[in-house]
């Protein structure tokens, strides 16, 4: 089991001028506003309150950089697909993502989080294509697996693969922060990516 002595939020960056000046390898975490990204970060890092878990989705409007033991960095990007976001914010978000993916040398891969109970959205498909366009490794994490009936699990995972048109080299991991399930296979996949 992976555990970190230190896991902390370094900065919430509104633009590229605020990105932290480090050489640490970074993996981006992306997903819809209410997909459970904060819970994923807290569970994966063995912390209760590292990332803010809000009741109202769509709180993250910045790139949040999390330092893990001065070895790796998680970069939490704003959740998308939330109805209350304005056009201006949407454009800002697009620019922020464009800047990060086209200019950040430390990026190593992306984790796309999707809700296991639902079909991936157009936004999820776009995010997947974004990572492929920049040729960075991507894996998909199906969150909230504890809320899916055991008899439905295989079907749901198959549907996620189909909708996202996932390739053989793009793994899909079932995950539950509630039950702390799925962490080890995800870390087994991520560590070689961080260290590549």
């Amino acid at each position: 089991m992976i555990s970190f002595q230190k896991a902390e939020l370094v900065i919430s960056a509104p633009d590229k001028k605020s990105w932290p000046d480090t050489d640490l390898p970074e993996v981006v975490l992306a997903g819809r506003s209410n997909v459970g990204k904060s819970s994923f970060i807290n569970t994966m890092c063995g912390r209760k309150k590292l990332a803010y878990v809000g009741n109202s989705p769509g709180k993250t409007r910045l790139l949040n950089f999390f330092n893990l033991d001065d070895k790796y960095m998680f970069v939490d990007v704003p959740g998308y697909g939330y109805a209350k976001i304005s056009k201006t914010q949407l454009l800002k978000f697009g620019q922020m993502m464009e800047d990060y993916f086209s200019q950040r040398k430390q990026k190593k891969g992306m984790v796309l989080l999707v809700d296991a109970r639902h079909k991936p959205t157009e936004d999820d498909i776009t995010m997947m294509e974004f990572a492929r366009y920049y040729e960075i490794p991507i894996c998909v994490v199906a969150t909230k697996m504890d809320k899916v009936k055991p008899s439905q699990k295989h079907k749901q995972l198959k549907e996620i693969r189909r909708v996202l048109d996932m390739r053989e080299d793009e793994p899909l991991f079932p995950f539950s922060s509630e039950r702390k399930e799925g962490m080890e296979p995800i870390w087994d996949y991520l560590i070689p990516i961080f260290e590549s």
Side-chain angles (χ1 to χ4, degrees):
M1 179 65 78
I2 294 272
S3 70
F4 296 102
Q5 298 300 308
K6 178 175 105 174
E8 62 186 18
L9 174 64
V10 179
I11 191 168
S12 296
D15 50 41
K16 59 186 175 191
K17 294 195 291 285
S18 318
W19 293 344
D21 183 15
T22 76
D23 295 325
L24 298 179
E26 297 172 357
V27 164
V28 174
L29 308 176
R32 282 176 63 82
S33 293
N34 54 353
V35 77
K37 273 193 295 146
S38 299
S39 301
F40 175 80
I41 294 167
N42 292 337
T43 304
M44 291 295 286
C45 298
R47 293 287 189 281
K48 281 206 169 70
K49 294 179 180 165
L50 178 60
Y52 174 73
V53 180
N55 290 331
S56 51
K59 278 282 191 280
T60 307
R61 293 276 176 267
L62 310 161
L63 290 187
N64 292 316
F65 290 80
F66 294 93
N67 178 338
L68 311 178
D69 274 353
D70 296 322
K71 278 166 72 176
Y72 317 126
M73 198 85 88
F74 270 158
V75 183
D76 181 23
V77 306
Y80 48 78
Y82 188 53
K84 286 188 185 158
I85 191 167
S86 71
K87 277 277 184 330
T88 323
Q89 281 176 317
L90 208 57
L91 290 169
K92 226 166 113 183
F93 167 62
Q95 191 56 56
M96 210 191 314
M97 295 299 289
E98 200 67 53
D99 287 347
Y100 180 85
F101 279 96
S102 59
Q103 296 172 35
R104 191 73 168 160
K105 300 277 185 283
Q106 297 89 321
K107 67 180 182 304
K108 293 286 191 173
M110 181 198 277
V111 175
L112 176 65
L113 292 100
V114 298
D115 188 326
R117 299 168 299 178
H118 309 296
K119 213 158 89 166
T121 63
E122 284 300 318
D123 291 327
D124 293 324
I125 295 166
T126 303
M127 208 43 131
M128 199 81 181
E129 286 165 357
F130 214 61
R132 287 171 183 151
Y133 176 80
Y134 286 103
E135 297 180 332
I136 62 171
I138 184 166
C139 74
V140 177
V141 169
T143 62
K144 309 186 185 187
M145 277 310 282
D146 51 288
K147 294 182 166 63
V148 178
K149 288 184 186 144
S151 60
Q152 293 295 304
K153 286 184 179 177
H154 180 70
K155 184 172 157 254
Q156 287 298 101
L157 292 172
K158 205 170 156 188
E159 181 67 353
I160 290 168
R161 270 202 167 280
R162 184 192 68 76
V163 174
L164 292 175
D165 195 18
M166 291 177 69
R167 302 187 311 235
E168 281 301 304
D169 62 338
E170 295 170 338
L172 171 61
F173 298 106
F175 179 80
S176 164
S177 52
E178 197 65 33
R179 295 184 182 155
K180 307 219 179 331
E181 286 170 2
M183 295 158 64
E184 288 194 41
I186 297 171
W187 276 124
D188 287 348
Y189 169 80
L190 286 180
I191 285 171
I193 299 268
F194 272 122
E195 293 176 352
S196 64

